[in-house]
Amino acid sequence: MQLSVSSLNFSFPTKVVLRDVSFSAHSGEVFGIVGPNGSGKTTLLRCLRLVLSPQGGAITLDDEDVMTWDRSRIARVFGVVPQSTTLTFPFSVFDVVMMGRIPHLGRFQREGAHDISIVRESMKLTSIDHLFERPISQLSGGELQRVIIARALAQEPRVLLLDEPTSQLDINHQFEVMKLVRSFAIEHNMVVIIISHNLNLSLRYCDRLLLLKDGGVHSCGASDEVLTPDNIREVYGVEAQLDYNKRIGAHQLTLIDAIERD
Amino acid sequence: MKKIVPIGLLIVLLTGLVGGCIGGGPDTTIADELEERPSLSMLVDALTSAGLYDIFGEEGDYTLLAPSNDALESLDERYASDPALLEQILTYHVLEGSYSASKISQSQTLATLQGEDIEVKTTGSLSIGGASVTEQDIECTNGTLHVIDAVLVPPSIEETYIDYTFEDGAGREVTIEKVPERVVSLASSATEVMFAIGAGEKVVGVDKYSTYPEEVASRPNLGSGSSLDMEKLIELEPDLVVIWYFYGDAIENIEQRGINVMAINPASVSDIYDEIELLGTILGFEENAQDVIGDMQARISEITDYVDTIPVEDRPTVFYETSQPFKSLNADTFTGELIEMAGGINIAADEESRYPVLSSEWIIQEDPDVIVVLSYGASVEEIKARSGWGQVSAVANDRVYAVESDLVTSNPRLVLGLEQLAKWFYPEYFE
Amino acid sequence: MQDIEAYFHSVRMYRLTVMVGLILFLFAVAILGIMVGPVSISPSTILHIFWMQIPHVGDSVMQTWPHSYTSIVMDVRLPRVLLGMLVGMGLAVSGCAMQGLFRNPMASPYVCGLSSGGAFGAALAVNLGLAYIFLPFFAFLFATLTVFFVYMISRVNNKVPTETLLLSGIALSSFFSALVSLMLYFADQQLERIVFWMMGGLWASTWDKVAVTLPLIVVAVPLFYVLSRELNAMLLGEENATDLGIKVESTKRIILVLTAFTVGACVAVSGVIGFVGLIIPHIARIFVGPDHKILIPASVFVGGIFLILTDTLARTIIMPAELPVGIITSLFGVPFFLYLLRKRKERMGW
């Protein structure tokens, strides 16, 4: 399975955000999107699932034109873990994960045994099945993030989009979430696209990366070929060193200093 | 006015008589005689400061009724402190021509230099305008001098300076020194009363609820007690403001500007009589006020006399609705009293609250014979159309009426309201 | 640890029990409301009166009570209890939907200016000297117009951000309140009735009002219920809801329209009754949680029960006089609500 994006453009009335973005992500790999703040990462993710309507370009999943799909069909294919979730009212973990079934249920159809088993499976995958009765207002940040991931999984998505799922988490939870995400790509054959701020985590857990700069694609390819010291300098203005770490079996960046610009 | 009667009145009188008879032709002026008597020193001072003293040293023919020091000392401070008033009062003591005591005794009234007359009474001892003569017939070259024991105040001044103190409707002690000439009425009841007793000319400003009689429309509108146009009020320079008792803030505010305020709180028909009487007294329209009251009483008793002949059980039951749906009033209210006087049995008479909101079903059960609604409340059609009211006697017999609010509140027109109610309650008798 | 399936079914059972309980309670309360009043009518008489209404069968009943009793039961108490139920239901369900829509527990059904718009309409009708039947009509018209106006001015690029909606609702509310105050300030005593009307009450209940309100509630409540999934998802944020396949903007529109009509009708027939729409959803939430699938039906019934009960109190507590029901709803509702809130906090930490 392959999600392809070609020549995607998007602008707000006063600002061009994405220009001519093209890439494709495959099932079985974790595709990362990196770039500085304001480079258009979140907007790109929103355009992918048509929360924002791109003003040009094409999005296809295998041979299907995603841009012609309605909301409900998009929701059956794209599972999303957004940056933030409002939690004013104390739903139980079970309730929230069950919401992932909404796109699959007819308007007058009740949740059935099939839905329950999918919810159960999703909670197991994210190791929150013991929490199912708890109100989400009582969960820790890591638990909550896994609940939202479980909800996305309950959508039975073919594409999983994650917008900085680790930014609010402690380091140990960051590893957990990234490992979890990787397992979906490989074991469940999903297209997984993840925005990350953490370049070293991206190097370690993403197979390929898209580096955005000012709304355009700076480079795209294997992680260690994208996050080169040259590219880091050009995009972030930071001097960096890329080394292979034998212990973890991945390249890691050492950020040295910001480069003074004029 | 206090009168000081000296203890040795007779002796002094005799002495004066003897002195007057024994002496030959006079060779002193009135001024000389005044100077000689220390007991008249204050009069000399007063005449001097009023610029009147000199004429009594010159040639002429006057009679001076000279109040003694004791009399002048007890003169009301309000008069003593006002030079213009004092001058009027002093000239009131001077008569053109020479009047001996015997000539005075033969007159009914004496014309004074001030213009107004003094009344003379001879029953018993001689009394000139209420004062007794303590030393009489002091003949002088330019007239005659009589010493009297009290200051004479011209009636016009006495009428104006009434110095009337009473407790007003807000329980405040109010003193009216001078009869008000410019009155602002912020209470429709008082406005109507003032016009009814003929004092409407004195009303220089009204509140927005004062709409009767028609002349009121020509008076400046000052809003109401709760939203008072204070600038306009000050501009009108009223010497009295009449206002409802519940506008405490406005009362205080007006008072602070040195304007006399009188609050009214007429809660019953007899309170209205009191209000009419009080306004009559302080505005100088006592007689008119009594006439108005008399007329009201006559018309009211015409109704009550008939009602008294009707046994209570034969009187119609009445549901009275105020401006708000289902809101009635009990016997302790003004309108409640009118309903009773007009011979109606108010179904809400015994309610604890003065203005109870009654249950629809209870009204249905009470089955009033007559329903009276305030004209700006629900409409008659609205009441007839109320759910479940079709069987109520008043609705079934088409005896639902709207009444003008002005006719059933505390003003002299309550008589009209009462007559209207009586007609509705006893159509066969009062039509 | 309980199995998920067992949990799911126990939740369903609990909800079913709650609903059956609420329906029974509503019946009991409605019967109580019909039984009591300043005029004491025996239950057997009331039963006979009802029996008499049945065509043919009722003809055999011998009337042994004053005729006024029939009027009282059929034309005063029954429409009043029914109208109280409908208004309570309408306000509670709308309040519930508005709190969900705005993701704000402080939202009330009047949040988009329905109450002040309605008051303005009523004041206008009285000011224009129109006949009394126009008052509810104007109230309804201006209440609903206000919501649409609020919606229109909040709309940017075909989207209506809820914050903007909330703020323009508050702004327009204040504007209409000021207009009403202005009218009250300048108008004479006639507008005293507007003040009274704004206090809210069921004293003027008629079958006509029941007939107008009933279809609206009967249509609106199931529609609100159908939207409960959307409301649930929107509680997690609009982007979350969109990702779950929900058409957020059209859902907002539908909820606003439903609320405008439901609350507009309630305001028109009973004035502005406060508190019910704000607090009933919270009371229901304490018992059944935030899931709109149960929260909406529970709020509907709790709202109906609550308003019948408080109105019964309002008209009997100082018989034969009445209190405005708004005073009772707050006077008895607030302490009850605070008690529940405390208990809930002890148990759930919320």
Side-chain angles (χ1 to χ4, degrees), chain B residues 97-383:
Chain B
S98 195
Y99 286 83
S100 67
S102 60
K103 192 172 170 189
I104 289 173
S105 322
Q106 286 156 19
S107 332
Q108 298 277 315
T109 55
L110 303 170
T112 68
L113 221 56
Q114 184 261 348
E116 291 174 64
D117 294 347
I118 302 175
E119 255 181 71
V120 178
K121 279 191 187 131
T122 47
T123 45
S125 58
L126 177 63
S127 153
I128 303 173
S132 303
V133 180
T134 53
E135 191 180 346
Q136 64 184 25
D137 293 334
I138 305 165
E139 300 287 342
C140 306
T141 53
N142 55 354
T144 310
L145 178 68
H146 307 280
V147 179
I148 54 173
D149 67 347
V151 179
L152 308 175
V153 179
S156 68
I157 294 180
E158 255 194 329
E159 270 169 22
T160 311
Y161 288 80
I162 49 174
D163 195 23
Y164 188 77
T165 301
F166 58 94
E167 190 182 310
D168 76 355
R172 304 154 61 247
E173 188 168 284
V174 176
T175 300
I176 306 286
E177 294 185 347
K178 199 176 165 186
V179 171
E181 294 301 326
R182 301 178 60 78
V183 184
V184 163
S185 171
L186 301 176
S188 52
S189 169
T191 312
E192 293 202 21
V193 168
M194 286 190 274
F195 277 93
I197 62 175
E201 287 293 310
K202 294 190 174 188
V203 178
V204 294
V206 292
D207 70 335
K208 65 175 175 182
Y209 300 113
S210 294
T211 52
Y212 185 90
E214 268 172 36
E215 297 105 286
V216 169
S218 65
R219 305 295 196 273
N221 186 331
L222 302 178
S224 74
S226 56
S227 59
L228 185 58
D229 188 342
M230 189 56 86
E231 286 186 17
K232 197 177 262 176
L233 184 118
I234 292 168
E235 191 193 332
L236 288 171
E237 293 184 339
D239 41 21
L240 178 68
V241 175
V242 189
I243 189 168
W244 292 112
Y245 70 101
F246 45 77
Y247 290 129
D249 287 347
I251 293 173
E252 201 174 306
N253 208 342
I254 300 167
E255 213 171 24
Q256 274 171 6
R257 284 153 220 273
I259 301 169
N260 225 351
V261 188
M262 160 187 167
I264 58 162
N265 176 20
S268 66
V269 175
S270 76
D271 282 356
I272 278 291
Y273 295 150
D274 291 346
E275 182 188 329
I276 297 171
E277 196 170 358
L278 178 61
L279 284 168
T281 305
I282 60 178
L283 295 175
F285 288 83
E286 290 97 333
E287 279 179 29
N288 291 3
Q290 288 310 326
D291 290 347
V292 170
I293 293 169
D295 179 54
M296 285 173 72
Q297 282 169 333
R299 288 168 71 177
I300 287 173
S301 55
E302 216 172 288
I303 289 162
T304 50
D305 286 352
Y306 173 73
V307 167
D308 285 344
T309 66
I310 311 285
V312 172
E313 59 273 20
D314 292 346
R315 295 182 191 180
T317 51
V318 180
F319 168 61
Y320 183 90
E321 185 169 292
T322 61
S323 55
Q324 298 173 359
F326 302 100
K327 192 172 194 171
S328 191
L329 32 76
N330 74 2
D332 296 336
T333 58
F334 199 89
T335 311
E337 188 186 355
L338 289 186
I339 293 169
E340 203 182 315
M341 285 172 103
I345 304 291
N346 177 7
I347 61 169
D350 299 329
E351 284 305 302
E352 219 157 279
S353 159
R354 293 185 73 207
Y355 296 96
V357 177
L358 295 171
S359 243
S360 177
E361 66 175 67
W362 186 76
I363 299 166
I364 294 173
Q365 192 207 22
E366 290 296 306
D367 194 24
D369 298 311
V370 180
I371 294 175
V372 180
V373 60
L374 211 49
S375 58
Y376 58 75
S379 66
V380 170
E381 298 76 51
E382 184 178 343
I383 284 176

Side-chain angles (χ1 to χ4, degrees), chain C residues 46-67:
Chain C
I46 290 174
L47 230 64
H48 277 105
I49 289 172
F50 280 131
W51 191 249
M52 244 178 72
Q53 308 304 316
I54 306 169
H56 309 301
V57 185
D59 297 346
S60 61
V61 178
M62 279 284 289
Q63 186 170 330
T64 55
W65 56 89
H67 193 86

Side-chain angles (χ1 to χ4, degrees), chain C residues 31-319:
Chain C
I31 289 166
L32 177 79
I34 295 165
M35 291 289 177
V36 302
V39 180
S40 56
I41 305 174
S42 73
S44 79
T45 306
I46 290 174
L47 230 64
H48 277 105
I49 289 172
F50 280 131
W51 191 249
M52 244 178 72
Q53 308 304 316
I54 306 169
H56 309 301
V57 185
D59 297 346
S60 61
V61 178
M62 279 284 289
Q63 186 170 330
T64 55
W65 56 89
H67 193 86
S68 64
Y69 283 14
T70 311
S71 292
I72 288 171
V73 172
M74 293 311 298
D75 297 329
V76 178
R77 287 190 193 168
L78 195 55
R80 185 160 178 165
V81 165
L82 287 176
L83 195 69
M85 179 185 82
L86 292 171
V87 169
M89 286 175 163
L91 291 176
V93 76
S94 310
C96 196
M98 288 318 233
Q99 289 171 4
L101 181 68
F102 289 106
R103 291 189 295 281
N104 188 336
M106 315 283 264
S108 84
Y110 303 132
V111 74
C112 283
L114 275 156
S115 53
S116 42
F120 174 76
L124 197 66
V126 172
N127 227 17
L128 294 174
L130 298 173
Y132 72 101
I133 45 161
F134 285 102
L135 193 146
F137 178 72
F138 265 57
F140 178 78
L141 190 73
F142 278 86
T144 46
L145 276 179
T146 309
V147 177
F148 293 122
F149 195 47
V150 166
Y151 181 82
M152 291 314 285
I153 54 180
S154 311
R155 199 157 78 156
V156 185
N157 294 331
N158 248 339
K159 283 192 176 176
V160 178
T162 43
E163 296 82 8
T164 318
L165 199 61
L166 196 61
L167 283 175
S168 19
I170 291 167
L172 222 64
S173 266
S174 307
F175 183 72
F176 276 116
S177 299
L179 282 182
V180 172
S181 300
L182 196 71
M183 281 203 251
L184 287 175
Y185 185 81
F186 281 112
D188 290 332
Q189 299 101 318
Q190 290 95 302
L191 283 192
E192 268 177 41
R193 18 190 349 210
I194 295 307
V195 179
F196 190 65
W197 179 86
M198 282 193 290
M199 259 198 280
L202 296 160
W203 31 264
S205 304
T206 61
W207 280 111
D208 290 347
K209 290 180 178 178
V210 173
V212 169
T213 321
L214 183 70
L216 267 170
I217 300 289
V218 164
V219 171
V221 166
L223 287 175
F224 275 120
Y225 179 72
V226 165
L227 291 169
S228 54
R229 257 182 213 146
E230 275 84 348
L231 281 167
N232 281 347
M234 281 166 73
L235 280 186
L236 301 183
E238 287 181 18
E239 192 168 328
N240 278 266
T242 311
D243 287 331
L244 293 172
I246 282 156
K247 298 180 189 71
V248 171
E249 289 305 320
S250 60
T251 305
K252 270 187 211 170
R253 255 196 306 274
I254 296 170
I255 288 175
L256 279 178
V257 170
L258 283 178
T259 304
F261 279 106
T262 312
V263 180
C266 292
V267 165
V269 298
S270 65
V272 182
I273 297 177
F275 183 79
V276 178
L278 176 67
I279 301 297
I280 294 303
H282 288 289
I283 292 179
R285 212 172 273 125
I286 283 166
F287 286 110
V288 300
D291 184 351
H292 285 90
K293 277 202 289 296
I294 180 68
L295 183 60
I296 283 179
S299 292
V300 166
F301 283 95
V302 175
I305 291 165
F306 183 78
L307 202 54
I308 294 176
L309 213 53
T310 45
D311 185 53
T312 305
L313 265 179
R315 62 194 170 85
T316 53
I317 203 163
I318 51 164
M319 294 188 292

